Amino acid sequence: MKKHSARVAPLSACNSPVLTLTKVEGDERSRDSPAPAEAQAQAGMEAGGRGSRCCWTCSVTQLKKFFWGLVVVLGVCSSWSGSTQLAKLTFNKFDAPFTLTWFATNWNFLFFPLYYIGHVFKSTEKQSPQQRYRECCRFFGDNGLTLKAFFTKAAPFGVLWILTNYLYLHAIKKIDTTDVSVLFCCNKAFVFLLSWIVLRDRFMGVRIVAAILAIAGIVMMTYADGFHSYSVIGIALVVGSASMSAMYKVLFKLLLGSAKFGEAALFLSVLAVFNILFVTCIPVILYFTKVEYWSSFDAIPWGSICGFSALLLTFNILLNFGIAITYPTLISLGIVLSVPVNAVVDHYRSEIVFNSVRVIAIVIIGLGFLLLLLPEEWDEWLIKLLTRLKVRKKEEVPEGNGDIVSGLQNKSRRTRPSMSSFTH
């Protein structure tokens, strides 16, 4: 069987990782072999129908992936915009962004148990939790998840994960959720720039244009509010969050490469362990220093906090593992679609002003994000499409001329007898 492969990306659009999906074995069961006479009769039919069957199978498979893609897009859009809006509501009663980040990160521990449940239901070769854990631990090295591997291969990404989430949540306190969600879309431009510099990825002019559009959108978004201190700080926080997320993804590819589904689930659960062991002291210090203080634990809106954490967990599950059933580009579109959703909610809930500068900035950043979704071979595909169109036009013109000539010849043939009878 083939292996799954996945890329881990926190709170950001996928960096177009292509997953190798395993084929479901056992669906095509061996049927009774036909008789020799029937086999000879069917041989010609099968030879002639293989092309049509192949096309039909491919089309059905693509339709299924597209259908599941729509489901995943709706899930990504609703979970991302819902978690953003719920965080905004939570801060009205619980002004503690770092504590909320710490609490939501602890939910990452559920990744590996949820993956194992899926493994039990889907895999034909059942493994015990210990066996599956040991196999996934090979991702950290030949010796497994040792103390050295924990501090060198997990702890740095745990810090980047915390910073990404904390800066994003802290920005929600400063500016509207529409601005936060659209500015975070610049994450994909930062990933391209870092990949080009650090990983020596292929240079693409269209992605440079997209990065320029993202930077221009950030400047215009800052100008839209008149360069007030609170808006500048909020925009700086979102840009910092997007930068941390981009650094997380590029370093993951540089240091760890790619991960199978089980390895990715274990890695995310290990981040939760790092958060519990080494980050728990920070919310405690912030509480006693009254930087993030609440009167009593009864005053904490547990419903909003748990709802935010559940939506964020759902978003990360769909973002990291939804690519198993659909195309990565469709998953990335869910991030962009959350921007108009947040804009509609902000229009009715807050006093946000959608002036011309803000609208242009949103459109520019969204356009840059969509340009970054283009595949690397998009120019070759475009050239092939234009070539095919030119060939079809050249084929249609001679056929049209041939019809006109044949019509004139038939008309002349019909008129010739009448002319001969008239002369005689």
Side-chain angles (χ1 to χ4, degrees):
M1 294 179 64
K2 296 181 181 179
K3 298 291 184 179
H4 293 88
S5 62
R7 298 293 171 90
V8 183
L11 296 179
S12 64
C14 297
N15 192 20
S16 298
V18 180
L19 300 186
T20 304
L21 303 180
T22 57
K23 295 181 180 179
V24 180
E25 297 183 356
D27 290 344
E28 298 178 357
R29 299 179 180 178
S30 59
R31 299 181 180 179
D32 296 336
S33 59
E38 294 178 356
Q40 293 178 359
Q42 291 178 359
M45 297 174 62
E46 290 180 356
R50 284 177 182 174
S52 60
R53 287 182 182 178
C54 182
C55 295
W56 171 255
T57 304
C58 293
S59 62
V60 171
T61 304
Q62 291 175 356
L63 286 176
K64 287 182 179 179
K65 292 189 72 173
F66 184 76
F67 170 76
W68 284 113
L70 294 179
V71 176
V72 173
V73 165
L74 293 177
V76 170
C77 178
S78 58
S79 59
W80 185 232
S81 58
S83 61
T84 303
Q85 294 293 335
L86 199 55
K88 189 78 171 179
L89 292 175
T90 303
F91 290 144
N92 294 331
K93 300 179 181 178
F94 185 71
D95 189 8
F98 193 92
T99 304
L100 183 59
T101 302
W102 172 83
F103 183 80
T105 305
N106 291 335
W107 286 53
N108 280 13
F109 188 79
L110 298 175
F111 268 101
F112 190 75
L114 292 175
Y115 161 76
Y116 183 75
I117 293 174
H119 164 75
V120 170
F121 282 100
K122 288 293 184 181
S123 180
T124 56
E125 299 178 359
K126 309 297 187 210
Q127 290 181 337
S128 64
Q130 294 81 3
Q131 292 175 341
R132 200 62 188 167
Y133 171 78
R134 290 173 184 173
E135 184 176 346
C136 294
C137 279
R138 296 176 184 175
F139 173 70
F140 295 96
D142 297 334
N143 298 325
L145 184 58
T146 60
L147 193 63
K148 179 180 178 181
F150 179 82
F151 283 105
T152 57
K153 296 184 178 181
F157 296 98
V159 174
L160 291 175
W161 181 283
I162 294 294
L163 289 175
T164 298
N165 287 269
Y166 170 69
L167 294 175
Y168 185 87
L169 293 177
H170 197 69
I172 294 177
K173 291 177 52 181
K174 301 292 184 180
I175 56 179
D176 296 301
T177 56
T178 303
D179 298 343
V180 174
S181 59
V182 72
L183 287 170
F184 194 80
C185 289
C186 297
N187 156 269
K188 202 166 184 65
F190 298 156
V191 169
F192 163 69
L193 293 175
L194 287 176
S195 300
W196 180 41
I197 297 172
V198 179
L199 303 178
R200 304 296 181 183
D201 280 358
R202 177 185 173 186
F203 175 82
M204 291 182 64
V206 66
R207 293 186 177 179
I208 289 292
V209 174
I212 294 173
L213 290 176
I215 297 173
I218 294 172
V219 176
M220 293 186 67
M221 190 67 71
T222 308
Y223 178 75
D225 289 328
F227 293 97
H228 296 296
S229 59
Y230 66 91
S231 63
V232 173
I233 294 174
I235 292 172
L237 289 171
V238 183
V239 174
S241 176
S243 302
M244 293 297 103
S245 178
M247 189 180 300
Y248 174 103
K249 294 170 66 177
V250 173
L251 287 179
F252 188 93
K253 185 176 180 181
L254 178 65
L255 301 178
L256 301 176
S258 60
K260 304 171 187 176
F261 282 136
E263 295 169 349
L266 179 62
F267 180 83
L268 292 170
S269 296
V270 170
L271 295 186
V273 175
F274 169 81
N275 182 68
I276 295 172
L277 294 178
F278 298 99
V279 186
T280 303
C281 59
I282 298 179
V284 175
I285 295 173
L286 294 177
Y287 175 79
F288 285 105
T289 56
K290 294 187 177 182
V291 175
E292 293 186 357
Y293 182 79
W294 53 92
S295 58
S296 64
F297 286 93
D298 295 334
I300 298 176
W302 292 107
S304 300
I305 293 177
C306 293
F308 166 78
S309 303
L311 287 175
L312 194 59
L313 178 66
T314 304
F315 169 77
N316 283 292
I317 290 175
L318 294 175
L319 195 67
N320 291 290
F321 305 111
I323 198 172
I325 56 177
T326 186
Y327 302 101
T329 302
L330 292 178
I331 299 177
S332 299
L333 289 177
I335 307 290
V336 183
L337 293 177
S338 65
V339 175
V341 173
N342 287 322
V344 172
V345 175
D346 286 345
H347 177 71
Y348 290 99
R349 286 188 60 255
S350 62
E351 299 179 354
I352 185 173
V353 178
F354 289 98
N355 52 27
S356 59
V357 178
R358 175 175 272 108
V359 172
I360 293 174
I362 293 174
V363 172
I364 287 177
I365 295 176
L367 180 60
F369 187 90
L370 294 177
L371 288 177
L372 289 168
L373 296 181
L374 292 175
E376 293 184 356
E377 300 83 8
W378 72 275
D379 51 348
E380 298 178 1
W381 293 355
L382 183 60
I383 292 173
K384 290 180 180 179
L385 179 61
L386 295 176
T387 304
R388 289 180 181 178
L389 293 176
K390 290 181 180 180
V391 171
R392 287 184 180 180
K393 288 182 179 180
K394 290 181 180 179
E395 290 177 353
E396 290 176 357
V397 171
E399 289 179 359
N401 293 335
D403 294 339
I404 295 173
V405 172
S406 61
L408 292 175
Q409 290 178 354
N410 292 332
K411 187 175 181 181
S412 63
R413 288 175 183 176
R414 292 176 183 176
T415 55
R416 281 177 185 175
S418 60
M419 292 295 292
S420 61
S421 59
F422 179 78
T423 54
H424 288 289

